[in-house]
Amino acid sequence: MNVLRSLLFYLGYFLAILVSGILFLPVAPLMPLRSRYRLLNLYNHFITAWFRWTCGIRYRIQGRERLPSGPCVILSNHQCEWETIYLQVLKPPVCTVLKQELLHIPIFGWGLRLLHPIALDRSKPARAMRQVLFQGVARLQEGLTVLIFPEGTRVPPGQRRRYNKSGAVIACRAGVPVVPVAHNAGERWPGRHWVKNPGQLNVVVGEPIETVGRTPEEILVETEAWIEARLAEISEVPRPAVAKPAIEPSSSA
């Protein structure tokens, strides 16, 4: 049954990409940026709903009311593709930090380009860090929310990866809050397998963490501790024990 559900899901998934490319991409470049987000995010709304309908998913979204009215930096754990789709509509317009290879995917990548993401060449980490710091602050000053996955890549449920503090740095430099988000989407949408798993998909949005007068190191420690605590509560796969927070050393913001 899960195989049949997943096949049906991917049928709608690829049709949605095709229809969006035909109907939306020709007109989106002619629209103001915020209107462009609303148009192209129709695809995201459809995919999250289609995933629920076809694969037997029950969403439990907690804490959306905690989102601040102004721009912020959203820091979320990264398990699969689902959160890259859903978090785009959590507090639009959202500028996502992503790997530049995604922009080369036909239709899908063309749409991403129109949303002004921060596309990084991960083979050049020093240059990528400078790009995130410069462009991230600029996007926040333009009134956009910035979405960063501090683990840097997809991490399967039950595993951990060192957090990067670039998101905390740009939040401190721009004087905007960090909003932590925890989810167990990888248990429903496995990152390395196409068959989806029915069940409850949990998302928890935390209270904004103010950054004024604080260091990026402090912000990252608090953010990581909050995300890990929530993952321990909402995950079906046990979380690994950690002796102490893992933070990348760097200069002061």
Side-chain angles (χ1 to χ4, degrees):
M1 179 62 71
N2 289 352
V3 171
L4 293 176
R5 284 176 163 178
S6 299
L7 287 172
L8 179 60
F9 167 74
Y10 275 111
L11 176 62
Y13 175 93
F14 289 115
L15 282 175
I17 292 177
L18 181 60
V19 170
S20 297
I22 294 173
L23 297 182
F24 300 160
L25 287 185
V27 300
L30 307 176
M31 305 173 69
L33 183 60
R34 292 177 184 272
S35 298
R36 193 183 305 168
Y37 270 95
R38 286 193 292 270
L39 176 65
L40 296 179
N41 274 347
L42 292 176
Y43 164 83
N44 301 60
H45 285 290
F46 171 79
I47 293 300
T48 53
W50 185 243
F51 183 47
R52 180 185 66 209
W53 295 332
T54 56
C55 296
I57 304 301
R58 302 185 308 276
Y59 289 134
R60 187 185 183 201
I61 314 294
Q62 300 174 273
R64 290 196 64 168
E65 70 281 357
R66 299 169 183 156
L67 290 166
S69 57
C72 63
V73 175
I74 296 176
L75 297 183
S76 170
N77 64 303
H78 193 13
Q79 295 184 349
C80 63
E81 185 180 350
W82 183 86
E83 62 267 16
T84 67
I85 296 171
Y86 173 75
L87 294 178
Q88 286 287 329
V89 301
L90 182 64
K91 191 183 184 305
V94 174
C95 167
T96 304
V97 177
L98 46 78
K99 56 185 179 182
Q100 66 178 11
E101 294 89 337
L102 293 176
L103 303 184
H104 304 316
I105 300 174
I107 302 179
F108 179 80
W110 303 339
L112 280 179
R113 286 180 183 274
L114 295 174
L115 299 179
H116 289 194
I118 301 174
L120 306 179
D121 181 354
R122 296 194 297 184
S123 67
K124 301 176 181 178
R127 179 180 177 183
M129 175 62 77
R130 291 194 299 270
Q131 182 182 351
V132 170
L133 298 183
F134 177 77
Q135 295 186 5
V137 173
R139 298 291 196 276
L140 290 166
Q141 291 173 343
E142 293 169 6
L144 304 181
T145 288
V146 174
L147 168 63
I148 296 181
F149 299 106
E151 294 158 307
T153 190
R154 297 177 187 177
V155 180
Q159 297 184 25
R160 281 181 60 94
R161 184 181 173 91
R162 189 174 188 166
Y163 276 39
N164 183 291
K165 73 171 185 178
S166 59
V169 172
I170 66 172
C172 288
R173 290 187 175 183
V176 303
V178 164
V179 175
V181 174
H183 63 83
N184 69 331
E187 297 171 6
R188 309 277 75 85
W189 183 320
R192 289 176 170 37
H193 199 285
W194 66 275
V195 176
K196 312 307 180 197
N197 302 316
Q200 183 163 291
L201 195 161
N202 299 293
V203 179
V204 186
V205 180
E207 293 284 353
I209 300 173
E210 295 301 328
T211 60
V212 177
R214 305 182 65 190
T215 67
E217 290 83 2
E218 293 172 336
I219 300 300
L220 186 60
V221 167
E222 183 175 345
T223 300
E224 183 174 1
W226 186 92
I227 291 176
E228 282 301 318
R230 299 294 80 71
L231 287 175
E233 295 171 352
I234 66 177
S235 300
E236 297 173 6
V237 179
R239 301 296 301 167
V242 178
K244 59 182 179 179
I247 305 176
E248 293 186 348
S250 71
S251 60
S252 172

Coordinates of all heavy atoms in Angstrom, one line a residue, residues 73-77 129 148-152 160-172 178 180 209-211 214-228 244-250:
V73 N 15.5 35.1 11.2 CA 16.3 34.0 10.6 C 15.6 32.7 11.2 O 15.6 32.5 12.4 CB 17.7 34.1 11.0 CG1 18.5 32.8 10.5 CG2 18.4 35.3 10.4
I74 N 15.1 31.8 10.3 CA 14.6 30.6 10.7 C 15.7 29.5 10.7 O 16.4 29.4 9.6 CB 13.4 30.1 9.8 CG1 12.3 31.1 10.0 CG2 13.0 28.7 10.2 CD1 11.1 30.8 9.1
L75 N 16.0 28.9 11.8 CA 17.0 27.8 11.8 C 16.3 26.5 12.1 O 15.6 26.4 13.2 CB 18.0 28.1 12.9 CG 18.9 29.3 12.7 CD1 19.9 29.4 13.9 CD2 19.6 29.3 11.4
S76 N 16.4 25.5 11.2 CA 15.6 24.3 11.3 C 16.6 23.1 11.1 O 17.6 23.2 10.4 CB 14.5 24.2 10.3 OG 13.9 23.0 10.2
N77 N 16.2 22.0 11.7 CA 16.9 20.7 11.4 C 16.5 20.3 10.0 O 15.5 20.7 9.5 CB 16.6 19.6 12.4 CG 15.2 19.2 12.4 OD1 14.3 20.0 12.7 ND2 14.9 18.0 12.2
M129 N 30.8 31.0 3.1 CA 30.5 31.7 4.3 C 30.4 33.2 4.1 O 29.5 33.8 4.7 CB 31.6 31.3 5.4 CG 31.5 32.1 6.7 SD 29.9 31.7 7.6 CE 30.3 30.1 8.2
I148 N 17.8 29.0 7.0 CA 19.0 28.3 7.0 C 18.9 26.9 7.7 O 18.3 26.9 8.8 CB 20.2 29.1 7.6 CG1 20.4 30.4 6.8 CG2 21.5 28.3 7.7 CD1 21.5 31.3 7.4
F149 N 19.5 25.9 7.1 CA 19.6 24.6 7.8 C 21.0 24.5 8.4 O 22.0 24.3 7.6 CB 19.3 23.5 6.8 CG 17.9 23.5 6.2 CD1 17.7 23.9 4.9 CD2 16.8 23.2 7.0 CE1 16.4 24.0 4.4 CE2 15.5 23.3 6.5 CZ 15.3 23.7 5.2
P150 N 21.2 24.7 9.7 CA 22.6 24.9 10.2 C 23.4 23.6 10.1 O 24.6 23.6 10.3 CB 22.3 25.3 11.7 CG 20.9 24.9 12.0 CD 20.2 25.0 10.7
E151 N 22.7 22.4 9.9 CA 23.5 21.2 9.7 C 24.2 21.1 8.4 O 25.1 20.3 8.2 CB 22.5 20.0 9.9 CG 22.0 19.8 11.3 CD 20.7 19.0 11.3 OE1 19.8 19.4 10.6 OE2 20.6 18.1 12.1
G152 N 23.7 22.0 7.4 CA 24.4 22.1 6.2 C 23.9 21.1 5.1 O 24.1 21.3 3.9
R160 N 23.1 12.9 14.2 CA 23.4 14.3 14.4 C 24.6 14.8 13.6 O 25.4 14.0 13.1 CB 23.8 14.5 15.9 CG 22.6 14.6 16.9 CD 23.2 14.8 18.3 NE 23.9 16.0 18.4 CZ 23.4 17.2 18.8 NH1 22.1 17.3 19.0 NH2 24.1 18.3 18.9
R161 N 24.6 16.1 13.3 CA 25.7 16.7 12.6 C 26.0 18.0 13.2 O 25.1 18.7 13.7 CB 25.3 16.8 11.1 CG 26.4 17.4 10.2 CD 25.9 17.5 8.8 NE 26.9 18.2 7.9 CZ 27.8 17.6 7.2 NH1 27.8 16.2 7.2 NH2 28.6 18.2 6.4
R162 N 27.3 18.4 13.1 CA 27.7 19.7 13.7 C 26.9 20.8 13.1 O 26.7 20.9 11.9 CB 29.2 19.8 13.4 CG 29.8 21.0 14.1 CD 31.3 20.9 13.9 NE 32.1 21.9 14.7 CZ 33.4 21.9 14.8 NH1 34.1 20.9 14.2 NH2 34.0 22.8 15.6
Y163 N 26.5 21.8 14.0 CA 25.8 22.9 13.5 C 26.7 24.0 13.1 O 27.8 24.3 13.7 CB 24.9 23.5 14.7 CG 23.5 22.8 14.8 CD1 23.4 21.5 14.6 CD2 22.4 23.6 15.2 CE1 22.1 20.9 14.8 CE2 21.2 23.0 15.3 CZ 21.0 21.6 15.1 OH 19.8 21.1 15.3
N164 N 26.4 24.7 12.0 CA 27.2 25.9 11.5 C 26.5 27.1 12.1 O 25.3 27.2 12.1 CB 27.2 25.9 10.0 CG 28.0 27.0 9.4 OD1 27.6 28.2 9.6 ND2 29.1 26.7 8.8
K165 N 27.3 28.1 12.5 CA 26.7 29.3 13.2 C 26.4 30.5 12.2 O 26.2 31.6 12.7 CB 27.6 29.7 14.3 CG 28.9 30.4 14.0 CD 29.5 30.9 15.2 CE 30.8 31.7 14.9 NZ 31.4 32.3 16.1
S166 N 26.5 30.3 10.9 CA 26.3 31.4 10.0 C 25.0 32.0 10.2 O 24.9 33.3 10.1 CB 26.5 30.9 8.5 OG 25.6 29.9 8.2
G167 N 23.9 31.3 10.4 CA 22.6 31.8 10.6 C 22.5 32.7 11.9 O 21.9 33.8 11.9
A168 N 23.2 32.3 12.9 CA 23.2 33.1 14.2 C 24.0 34.4 13.9 O 23.7 35.4 14.5 CB 23.8 32.3 15.3
V169 N 25.1 34.3 13.1 CA 25.9 35.4 12.9 C 25.1 36.5 12.1 O 25.1 37.7 12.5 CB 27.2 35.1 12.1 CG1 27.9 36.3 11.7 CG2 28.1 34.2 12.9
I170 N 24.4 36.1 11.1 CA 23.7 37.1 10.3 C 22.5 37.7 11.1 O 22.2 38.9 11.0 CB 23.2 36.6 8.9 CG1 22.2 35.5 9.1 CG2 24.4 36.1 8.1 CD1 21.6 35.1 7.7
A171 N 21.9 36.9 11.9 CA 20.8 37.4 12.8 C 21.4 38.5 13.8 O 20.8 39.5 14.0 CB 20.2 36.3 13.5
C172 N 22.5 38.2 14.3 CA 23.1 39.1 15.3 C 23.6 40.4 14.5 O 23.4 41.5 15.0 CB 24.4 38.5 15.9 SG 23.9 37.2 17.2
V178 N 16.2 35.0 16.0 CA 16.3 33.6 15.4 C 15.0 32.9 15.9 O 14.6 32.9 17.0 CB 17.5 32.9 15.9 CG1 17.4 31.4 15.7 CG2 18.8 33.5 15.3
P180 N 13.7 29.1 16.1 CA 14.1 27.7 15.9 C 12.9 26.8 15.5 O 11.8 27.1 15.9 CB 14.6 27.3 17.3 CG 13.8 28.2 18.2 CD 13.6 29.5 17.5
I209 N 14.2 33.9 19.5 CA 15.4 34.1 20.3 C 16.0 35.5 20.0 O 16.5 35.7 18.9 CB 16.4 33.0 20.2 CG1 15.7 31.7 20.5 CG2 17.6 33.3 21.0 CD1 16.6 30.5 20.2
E210 N 15.9 36.4 20.9 CA 16.4 37.8 20.6 C 18.0 37.7 20.5 O 18.6 37.0 21.3 CB 16.0 38.8 21.7 CG 14.5 39.0 21.7 CD 14.0 39.5 20.4 OE1 14.7 40.3 19.7 OE2 12.8 39.2 20.0
T211 N 18.5 38.5 19.6 CA 20.0 38.5 19.4 C 20.7 39.7 19.8 O 21.9 39.7 19.9 CB 20.2 38.3 17.9 OG1 19.6 39.4 17.1 CG2 19.6 37.0 17.4
R214 N 23.9 39.9 22.3 CA 24.3 38.6 22.5 C 25.3 38.1 21.4 O 25.3 38.7 20.3 CB 23.1 37.6 22.6 CG 22.1 38.0 23.6 CD 21.0 37.0 23.7 NE 21.5 35.7 24.2 CZ 20.8 34.6 24.1 NH1 19.5 34.6 23.7 NH2 21.3 33.4 24.6
T215 N 26.1 37.1 21.6 CA 27.0 36.6 20.7 C 26.4 35.5 19.8 O 25.5 34.8 20.3 CB 28.3 36.1 21.3 OG1 28.0 34.9 22.1 CG2 28.9 37.1 22.3
P216 N 26.9 35.3 18.6 CA 26.4 34.2 17.8 C 26.6 32.8 18.5 O 25.7 31.9 18.4 CB 27.2 34.3 16.5 CG 27.6 35.7 16.4 CD 27.8 36.1 17.8
E217 N 27.7 32.7 19.3 CA 27.9 31.4 20.0 C 26.8 31.1 21.0 O 26.3 30.0 21.1 CB 29.3 31.5 20.7 CG 30.4 31.4 19.8 CD 30.8 32.8 19.2 OE1 30.1 33.8 19.5 OE2 31.7 32.8 18.4
E218 N 26.4 32.2 21.7 CA 25.3 32.0 22.7 C 24.0 31.6 22.0 O 23.2 30.8 22.4 CB 25.1 33.3 23.5 CG 26.3 33.6 24.4 CD 26.1 35.0 25.0 OE1 25.4 35.9 24.4 OE2 26.7 35.2 26.1
I219 N 23.7 32.3 20.9 CA 22.5 32.1 20.1 C 22.5 30.6 19.6 O 21.4 29.9 19.7 CB 22.3 33.1 19.0 CG1 22.3 34.5 19.5 CG2 21.1 32.7 18.1 CD1 21.2 34.8 20.4
L220 N 23.6 30.2 19.1 CA 23.6 28.8 18.5 C 23.5 27.8 19.5 O 22.7 26.8 19.3 CB 24.9 28.6 17.7 CG 25.0 27.3 16.9 CD1 23.8 27.2 15.9 CD2 26.3 27.1 16.2
V221 N 24.1 27.9 20.7 CA 24.0 27.0 21.8 C 22.5 26.9 22.2 O 22.0 25.7 22.3 CB 24.8 27.4 23.0 CG1 24.5 26.6 24.2 CG2 26.3 27.1 22.6
E222 N 21.8 28.0 22.4 CA 20.4 28.0 22.8 C 19.5 27.4 21.7 O 18.6 26.6 22.0 CB 20.0 29.4 23.1 CG 18.5 29.5 23.6 CD 18.1 30.9 24.0 OE1 19.0 31.7 24.2 OE2 16.9 31.1 24.2
T223 N 19.8 27.7 20.4 CA 19.0 27.2 19.3 C 19.2 25.7 19.2 O 18.2 24.9 19.1 CB 19.4 27.8 18.0 OG1 19.2 29.2 18.1 CG2 18.6 27.3 16.8
E224 N 20.4 25.2 19.2 CA 20.6 23.8 19.1 C 20.0 23.0 20.3 O 19.4 21.9 20.1 CB 22.1 23.5 19.0 CG 22.5 22.0 18.8 CD 23.9 21.8 18.5 OE1 24.7 22.7 18.5 OE2 24.3 20.6 18.3
A225 N 20.2 23.5 21.5 CA 19.6 22.8 22.6 C 18.1 22.7 22.5 O 17.5 21.7 22.8 CB 20.0 23.6 23.9
W226 N 17.5 23.8 22.0 CA 16.0 23.8 21.9 C 15.6 22.8 20.8 O 14.6 22.0 21.1 CB 15.5 25.2 21.5 CG 14.0 25.3 21.5 CD1 13.2 25.7 22.5 CD2 13.1 25.0 20.4 NE1 11.9 25.6 22.1 CE2 11.8 25.2 20.8 CE3 13.4 24.5 19.1 CZ2 10.7 24.9 20.0 CZ3 12.3 24.3 18.3 CH2 11.0 24.5 18.7
I227 N 16.2 22.8 19.7 CA 15.8 21.9 18.6 C 16.0 20.4 19.0 O 15.1 19.6 18.8 CB 16.7 22.2 17.3 CG1 16.2 23.5 16.7 CG2 16.5 21.0 16.3 CD1 17.1 23.9 15.5
E228 N 17.1 20.1 19.7 CA 17.4 18.8 20.1 C 16.4 18.3 21.2 O 15.9 17.2 21.2 CB 18.8 18.6 20.7 CG 19.9 18.5 19.6 CD 19.6 17.4 18.6 OE1 19.3 16.3 19.1 OE2 19.8 17.5 17.4
K244 N 28.4 17.6 24.8 CA 28.4 19.0 24.9 C 28.1 19.6 23.5 O 28.2 18.9 22.5 CB 29.8 19.5 25.3 CG 30.9 19.1 24.3 CD 32.3 19.5 24.8 CE 33.4 19.0 23.9 NZ 34.7 19.5 24.3
P245 N 27.6 20.8 23.4 CA 27.2 21.4 22.1 C 28.4 21.5 21.2 O 29.6 21.7 21.7 CB 26.7 22.8 22.5 CG 26.4 22.8 24.0 CD 27.3 21.8 24.5
A246 N 28.2 21.3 19.9 CA 29.3 21.3 18.9 C 29.1 22.6 18.2 O 28.1 22.8 17.5 CB 29.2 20.1 18.0
I247 N 30.1 23.5 18.3 CA 30.0 24.8 17.6 C 31.3 25.0 16.9 O 32.4 24.7 17.3 CB 29.9 26.0 18.7 CG1 28.6 25.7 19.5 CG2 29.7 27.3 17.9 CD1 28.5 26.7 20.6
E248 N 31.2 25.6 15.7 CA 32.4 25.9 14.9 C 33.0 27.1 15.4 O 32.3 28.2 15.6 CB 32.0 26.1 13.4 CG 31.5 24.9 12.7 CD 31.3 25.1 11.3 OE1 31.3 26.3 10.9 OE2 31.1 24.1 10.5
P249 N 34.3 27.1 15.7 CA 35.0 28.3 16.1 C 35.0 29.3 15.0 O 35.2 29.0 13.8 CB 36.4 27.8 16.4 CG 36.6 26.6 15.6 CD 35.2 26.0 15.5
S250 N 34.9 30.6 15.4 CA 35.0 31.7 14.4 C 35.2 33.0 15.1 O 35.1 33.1 16.3 CB 33.7 31.7 13.5 OG 32.7 32.2 14.2

